[in-house]
Amino acid sequence: MTQKQVFGPPKPWAEMAPALVDVAMGRKPADLVVRNGRWVNVHSGEVIPGTDLAIVGGRFAYCGPDAGHAIGPDTRVVDAGGRYLVPGLCDAHMHVESGMVTVTEFSRAVIPHGTTSMFIDPHEIANVLGLEGVRLMHDEAMAMPINVGVQMPSCVPSAPGLENAGATLTPKDVAEAMTWPNIIGLGEVMNFPGVAANDPTMVGGVAATMKAGKTVGGHYASPDLGLPFHGYVAGGPEDDHEGTRADDAIARVRQGMKAMLRLGSAWYDVASQIKAVTEQGLDPRNFILCTDDSHSGTLVHEGHMDRVVRHAISQGLKPVTAIQMATINTAQHFRMEREIGSIAPGRRADFLIVSDLADMKIDEVYGRGVRLAKGGKLEIDIPAYDYPVSAKNTVKLGKKLAAADFDIKAPEGANEVRVRVIGVIENQAPTRALEADLPVENGLVAMDRRNDVCQIALVERHRGTGSVTNGFVSGFGYLEDCALASTVAHDSHHMIVVGTSKDDMAKAANRLGEVGGGVVLFSKGKELALVEMPIAGLMSDERAEIVAEKAEKLVEAMRAMGCNLNNAYMQHSLLALVVIPELRISDVGIIDVTRFEKVGLFV
């Protein structure tokens, strides 16, 4: 049975201090006392048995061996029974839109998994709706029963000149956002060549954030750790989640950055980089765990930050160290250690009761002193957030697409051509720049399904130009006539269509135009799976469980087409991400991200 209540952050510590002191001293009763727990103290790195917690006004007042003096006639008393008392988990870097759901639904999905703080970068919606979209998610985040801090997107578009987004954000926009109550910093600065070149837009956004005393998020996606990397760090970014090697994590930490290690639905970057701690002995205080991108199926079926912590422990970290990387390290990085990230006096009473620490078996979840979930089930009701009409109907194709829009004409007289091919790397964000020799039939370049080369197209969807950019991709393994289309197409979020049948590609693209966005799979003219995402073409307005069920149907349909790639949809959605090497597609053309320039499809 869920309970309805009005949510909001507790009163500031400064205002609460007299009441906290009175409860700690036994002069006034606590609202809640938790007895007989094992205190996972992330400040000292200890697990302290026989600990009681006394809470008043949504904050910890007393953490010690006996809180009997704080128990009054109306105090709620919970017996932890020797179980672990763990700080609520924090996700240091993530995009709600990747879950296919709203902030509200994302929160509903992750609270039972112990996440009580999230630092979100809404640059997906910003690429579609601009500053208005950021404000919508900012305001929704403030209504949550957990802490959802918002980073102001830094790069919209992410690579000026190489793509055209649905909106543009300026340093003036960044400065304005820094005055909003729930903005905690600048989102990942993806234009790393721009930072190294002192691009005025990048310099201005970083400077506005620094002047506001807030955290500058990083995103250095190049393996080059030479001068461009040093120039990037000198420009101000304070963290980075794009490392894939132990050397990447080591280089960042040595330069004073925080190395964010991600385990999302499709990114498995913890195991390789955590060796910097487990084998090289680097200080774990400078390492932070995050998810970056998690789709609804992962959230509902596998977990969120509990999944990441569990994985980090399996890679050789001590449980307390892994928990520190998902709590106090994150809080300190965002200058919020006096509010969240630990069980200690004055902090918000966000904590978990855990029966198995190494396996992160979470029995109960508390946020601001209120029990939010028990036994993996949400115990509260979070009202749906009503997005305005202006946030919908954003898919503008300009025309009804036909199979001929996906034709690729060969050079005059050619019987065979060598083409550039985007090569998908399973479980990683980077791609490979491949080449393939393809036959020419009736003047058109043909796909080579036997060698896993199918077609990719980027359909412009913000301004209704009817423009289609065509190319080739390898790695999905499609064996049947089919096409997958998605309006989630990082970062400018046009529409990506991948297929082995041009007729299916046209049908899939047109279907998303009809429903206002989402992801759909067609085969031989028949719709096999559809996840509608009418909010900016990025998010569903349905419950997370329903979206997860539809997403699972999509995964099963993709497998039936021959695709066994892990989290293939998420790999699909990144094929236009022109800030991560090596080869991508955009509305401008085929982009070589190692050189940050447009290249021809034909070699």
Side-chain angles (χ1 to χ4, degrees):
M1 186 75 179
T2 58
Q3 56 180 343
K4 290 190 176 184
Q5 66 179 84
V6 177
F7 304 115
K11 291 181 181 179
W13 188 346
E15 293 181 24
M16 285 290 298
L20 296 172
V21 171
D22 283 341
V23 170
M25 294 296 293
R27 292 190 290 261
K28 288 185 177 180
D31 298 330
L32 170 69
V33 167
V34 181
R35 311 210 74 175
N36 188 29
R38 298 186 197 180
W39 179 13
V40 178
N41 192 309
V42 293
H43 291 287
S44 63
E46 303 170 278
V47 176
I48 305 168
T51 295
D52 289 1
L53 307 176
I55 295 159
V56 67
R59 293 184 182 273
F60 295 111
Y62 171 88
C63 308
D66 185 359
H69 61 283
I71 298 175
D74 297 322
T75 300
R76 183 185 175 200
V77 179
V78 173
D79 185 3
R83 292 173 293 174
Y84 298 93
L85 305 175
V86 177
L89 304 178
C90 308
D91 192 344
H93 174 74
M94 56 160 291
H95 308 284
V96 164
E97 304 97 317
S98 293
M100 306 178 178
V101 293
T102 61
V103 177
T104 300
E105 285 305 307
F106 203 103
S107 298
R108 287 185 70 256
V110 302
I111 287 171
H113 293 292
T115 300
T116 61
S117 296
M118 302 187 293
F119 296 91
I120 72 172
D121 181 353
H123 72 215
E124 322 304 350
I125 201 170
N127 271 273
V128 181
L129 298 175
L131 197 59
E132 176 198 357
V134 179
R135 186 77 211 208
L136 286 169
M137 291 188 73
H138 169 278
D139 293 351
E140 183 183 13
M142 290 189 70
M144 294 301 102
I146 58 175
N147 315 299
V148 184
V150 179
Q151 293 177 293
M152 173 60 183
S154 62
C155 302
V156 178
S158 60
L162 298 180
E163 65 176 352
N164 297 290
T168 299
L169 295 181
T170 67
K172 183 178 178 181
D173 294 324
V174 173
E176 177 187 333
M178 290 301 148
T179 67
W180 299 352
N182 198 35
I183 293 290
I184 48 84
L186 189 66
E188 52 181 315
V189 181
M190 296 176 287
N191 187 358
F192 52 91
V195 175
N198 275 331
D199 173 83
T201 299
M202 293 297 96
V203 170
V206 171
T209 307
M210 287 180 162
K211 288 175 183 176
K214 298 182 179 182
T215 304
V216 179
H219 171 117
Y220 184 82
S222 170
D224 182 359
L225 298 176
L227 291 183
F229 170 68
H230 289 271
Y232 181 76
V233 178
E238 300 174 64
D239 59 57
D240 189 34
H241 57 273
E242 287 297 336
T244 60
R245 309 164 299 182
D247 285 348
D248 295 329
I250 292 168
R252 286 151 176 77
V253 168
R254 284 176 176 170
Q255 295 294 318
M257 302 177 85
K258 301 297 183 185
M260 288 188 175
L261 316 184
R262 64 183 172 184
L263 179 73
S265 291
W267 326 135
Y268 289 65
D269 299 323
V270 174
S272 58
Q273 294 187 90
I274 204 64
K275 293 177 182 178
V277 174
T278 58
E279 296 180 6
Q280 301 297 319
L282 269 64
D283 191 334
R285 290 179 300 173
N286 296 306
F287 292 77
I288 293 172
L289 297 175
C290 69
T291 63
D292 197 359
D293 294 295
S294 296
H295 66 60
S296 55
T298 302
L299 301 177
V300 171
H301 301 301
E302 298 180 44
H304 189 232
M305 284 305 298
D306 58 330
R307 170 177 175 258
V308 185
V309 170
R310 194 179 302 118
H311 175 71
I313 293 170
S314 75
Q315 299 303 313
L317 277 185
K318 294 189 298 184
V320 173
T321 304
I323 291 168
Q324 287 172 321
M325 290 182 185
T327 56
I328 189 64
N329 292 9
T330 306
Q332 289 175 341
H333 180 57
F334 287 105
R335 300 159 174 83
M336 292 188 68
E337 66 270 25
R338 296 276 281 175
E339 289 292 315
I340 64 173
S342 67
I343 296 173
R347 277 67 171 183
R348 298 180 189 185
D350 305 332
F351 66 98
L352 319 175
I353 298 180
V354 175
S355 52
D356 186 323
L357 202 60
D359 196 45
M360 282 305 290
K361 188 178 185 312
I362 299 171
D363 298 335
E364 299 180 37
V365 180
Y366 289 78
R368 303 165 193 172
V370 175
R371 192 168 74 188
L372 306 179
K374 181 179 180 181
K377 303 293 183 182
L378 198 67
E379 287 199 324
I380 56 168
D381 180 58
I382 311 175
Y385 187 80
D386 189 21
Y387 275 79
V389 174
S390 60
K392 302 176 182 179
N393 303 313
T394 62
V395 181
K396 304 177 180 70
L397 300 183
K399 66 178 183 181
K400 185 173 182 178
L401 293 165
D405 288 304
F406 303 97
D407 286 345
I408 299 176
K409 293 182 179 180
E412 191 71 32
N415 295 317
E416 185 179 79
V417 292
R418 170 156 285 205
V419 298
R420 290 184 169 87
V421 178
I422 301 170
V424 173
I425 304 174
E426 189 169 29
N427 293 329
Q428 288 193 8
T431 64
R432 292 190 180 93
L434 305 177
E435 294 180 1
D437 293 317
L438 298 180
V440 175
E441 300 173 1
N442 299 319
L444 302 177
V445 183
M447 293 173 256
D448 186 359
R449 196 180 306 178
R450 290 177 303 174
N451 291 307
D452 192 20
V453 178
C454 61
Q455 201 159 319
I456 181 171
L458 187 133
V459 180
E460 198 282 327
R461 67 105 162 173
H462 297 307
R463 297 171 181 85
T465 63
S467 169
V468 178
T469 303
N470 287 300
F472 295 97
V473 65
S474 177
F476 289 103
Y478 292 126
L479 299 174
E480 304 291 334
D481 286 350
C482 64
L484 182 76
S486 171
T487 52
V488 178
H490 304 273
D491 271 330
S492 57
H493 297 289
H494 289 287
M495 182 192 297
I496 295 175
V497 190
V498 171
T500 57
S501 160
K502 288 186 277 190
D503 185 61
D504 285 329
M505 292 174 78
K507 284 183 168 59
N510 290 328
R511 181 65 169 135
L512 293 187
E514 292 171 4
V515 301
V519 56
V520 66
L521 180 65
F522 268 77
S523 177
K524 299 175 182 176
K526 181 182 178 182
E527 181 183 301
L528 301 185
L530 170 68
V531 184
E532 304 94 329
M533 301 185 213
I535 302 171
L538 301 171
M539 295 179 286
S540 171
D541 51 9
E542 295 184 294
R543 288 290 199 186
E545 299 91 334
I546 296 173
V547 178
E549 186 178 334
K550 289 183 176 182
E552 183 57 34
K553 184 177 179 181
L554 175 74
V555 171
E556 291 173 0
M558 292 175 74
R559 288 198 190 107
M561 296 298 102
C563 179
N564 293 309
L565 191 68
N566 183 48
N567 282 298
Y569 163 69
M570 195 157 282
Q571 303 272 189
H572 174 109
S573 71
L574 287 188
L575 294 172
L577 188 52
V578 293
V579 292
I580 298 183
E582 296 177 338
L583 200 63
R584 304 282 166 170
I585 190 170
S586 85
D587 61 314
V588 171
I590 306 300
I591 307 299
D592 182 337
V593 188
T594 61
R595 295 183 290 173
F596 271 81
E597 63 183 28
K598 177 183 174 181
V599 294
L601 176 60
F602 301 111
V603 180

